[in-house]
Amino acid sequence: MKLQRKNRLRALSLGAIAVSGALALTACGSDDTGDTTGGGGASSSAKAGNIKCDDAKGQLLGSGSSAQANAIEAWRKTFSQACSGVQVNYKPDGSGAGIEAFNQGQVAFAGSDSALKPEEVTASKKVCKTGQGIDLPMVGGPIAVAYNLDGVDNLVLDAPTLAKIFDSKITKWDDKAIKALNPDAKLPSTKIQAFHRSDESGTTDNFTKYLGEAAKSDWKYEHEKAWKASGGQSAQGSSGVAQQVKQTAGAIGYMELSYAKDGVKTVDIDTGASAPVKATTENASKAIADAKIIGSGKDLALELNYTTKADGAYPIVLVTYEIACDKGNKAETLPATKAFLTYMASDEGQASLADLGYAPIPTEINAKVRETIASLS
């Protein structure tokens, strides 16, 4: 069984990293997923008996990325079966809010779809006392571009066209640029309703990194967690964007892949490869397989490739990090923090993500993540 599990993990982790979800987590031991957003229910195939609780107890608070909320809910449910003395609560209020809460000492760990900025690392030293905040890659995957357009079941867009759509430079679905990419589609003259995140989001940061690197001539904004382009409409969280796209004729928006369901269709991306690329976890893994660790010391921030032209490689991807203090963690929450993060990065924890459309962190990177978690103090 161990050999089968290892083989399965090796096959899944050829650079795959995963993505999705949103919800506030319920108290430990509950069977309710807490998922009221339509982002998908949580499940886990891991065995609670393999989790080491050590001295973990009390309440463990986390905040941040909505992209990983379904993953954390699945982990929380299984973790709580083994460590009934720990109550894990995670608030998926966006990467920016999570980092702010962490740097104010309100939570033991934060989730962010972008690595800490230098000024955020500096701010973390006030909370971490003898150390600083570090990035631990835990989940990731494709950012889907979802749309709602009657009669158009397959839609291809490229980076320049997406940049113009989200910068209000292309405003009708029958624009000549969209027609050129979709010669066989019956495109209506419907007005384009472009939705972006209203909250500070690592998803926005990664989406605009893609536009900035793959459409340099058409996207003049710096990538940020906060939306910078003009026009468009906004919605709170990935779930809010997904809901608006689903209910608005002519809508388009970006979100983690698991939100693009229940009648919402996704755009295939023309990267210059031999064929347009669909938004799937497997295709995203081909783009992030060559991710490199660029963080220093114990920080494990990654550099991703947003301009890949490899066949079958989906370029719009993100990695969600757990942010914790390398040193100076609060004594009352350190055991629970280490126990929960250790389970998340374990073979069982990573393998359980497949049921939610996630994939595990690449093996070599995850080995360093485990080593770093073990050294937290």
Side-chain angles (χ1 to χ4, degrees):
M1 290 298 291
K2 289 184 177 180
L3 180 58
Q4 290 176 344
R5 180 178 291 145
K6 283 187 175 180
N7 288 339
R8 181 188 177 208
L9 287 169
R10 190 173 293 114
L12 283 169
S13 64
L14 292 174
I17 317 178
V19 79
S20 175
L23 61 154
L25 299 192
T26 55
C28 75
S30 171
D31 290 331
D32 180 8
T33 65
D35 187 355
T36 61
T37 67
S43 64
S44 175
S45 60
K47 296 180 180 179
N50 294 335
I51 299 172
K52 294 182 179 180
C53 305
D54 294 327
D55 297 323
K57 60 182 178 180
Q59 190 174 58
L60 180 63
L61 301 180
S63 174
S65 166
S66 63
Q68 68 168 2
N70 285 339
I72 288 192
E73 171 64 0
W75 284 325
R76 181 201 65 78
K77 289 181 71 176
T78 303
F79 181 81
S80 296
Q81 293 174 19
C83 305
S84 59
V86 181
Q87 179 180 333
V88 180
N89 288 280
Y90 180 81
K91 185 177 181 181
D93 49 1
S95 300
I99 292 173
E100 183 177 357
F102 178 78
N103 283 341
Q104 291 178 352
Q106 297 172 359
V107 295
F109 72 97
S112 176
D113 305 328
S114 296
L116 291 166
K117 296 179 179 179
E119 61 268 27
E120 292 170 338
V121 173
T122 299
S124 73
K125 294 179 180 180
K126 296 179 181 179
V127 174
C128 298
K129 305 299 184 184
T130 58
Q132 65 181 46
I134 57 172
D135 300 289
L136 301 169
M138 200 67 72
V139 295
I143 300 172
V145 180
Y147 70 99
N148 181 346
L149 198 58
D150 284 345
V152 181
D153 294 327
N154 297 289
L155 184 68
V156 176
L157 296 174
D158 58 14
T161 306
L162 279 170
K164 292 172 187 175
I165 288 172
F166 281 93
D167 196 22
S168 302
K169 300 294 175 57
I170 291 178
T171 59
K172 297 285 187 179
W173 278 110
D174 61 353
D175 185 274
K176 61 181 181 180
I178 302 177
K179 282 185 174 181
L181 291 164
N182 301 272
D184 298 326
K186 295 181 180 179
L187 296 165
S189 59
T190 306
K191 180 182 178 181
I192 295 175
Q193 306 279 357
F195 285 90
H196 57 265
R197 291 279 289 270
S198 61
D199 52 323
E200 289 198 1
S201 163
T203 309
T204 295
D205 194 25
N206 283 276
F207 182 64
T208 54
K209 279 181 185 177
Y210 162 74
L211 295 177
E213 294 189 26
K216 292 181 184 294
S217 299
D218 299 291
W219 190 260
K220 302 299 184 181
Y221 306 95
E222 290 293 326
H223 66 85
E224 291 284 350
K225 293 185 180 73
W227 186 256
K228 298 296 184 183
S230 59
Q233 302 180 62
S234 64
Q236 175 76 24
S238 294
S239 58
V241 173
Q243 184 62 31
Q244 289 299 324
V245 171
K246 183 177 179 179
Q247 67 188 22
T248 306
I252 188 170
Y254 59 91
M255 63 199 70
E256 293 77 33
L257 181 60
S258 73
Y259 287 100
K261 60 181 186 178
D262 297 332
V264 175
K265 295 166 284 192
T266 60
V267 171
D268 295 349
I269 303 298
D270 184 344
T271 64
S274 62
V277 187
K278 293 186 179 296
T280 68
T281 300
E282 292 77 14
N283 289 344
S285 73
K286 296 176 183 178
I288 55 184
D290 59 351
K292 297 177 176 62
I293 295 175
I294 58 172
S296 59
K298 293 184 178 181
D299 187 84
L300 299 178
L302 302 177
E303 182 178 66
L304 300 171
N305 182 7
Y306 296 100
T307 59
T308 179
K309 290 180 173 58
D311 285 345
Y314 185 81
I316 317 177
V317 294
L318 60 74
V319 171
T320 295
Y321 301 93
E322 309 313 323
I323 295 168
C325 296
D326 58 353
K327 294 185 292 184
N329 287 278
K330 293 180 180 179
E332 60 270 27
T333 58
L334 178 59
T337 300
K338 292 181 71 172
F340 191 47
L341 293 180
T342 296
Y343 165 58
M344 290 161 68
S346 69
D347 285 349
E348 291 81 4
Q350 291 288 301
S352 71
L353 297 176
D355 293 338
L356 295 173
Y358 293 84
I361 293 292
T363 303
E364 291 185 6
I365 296 174
N366 194 39
K368 294 181 180 180
V369 171
R370 296 180 191 180
E371 181 181 340
T372 302
I373 293 171
S375 71
L376 299 181
S377 61

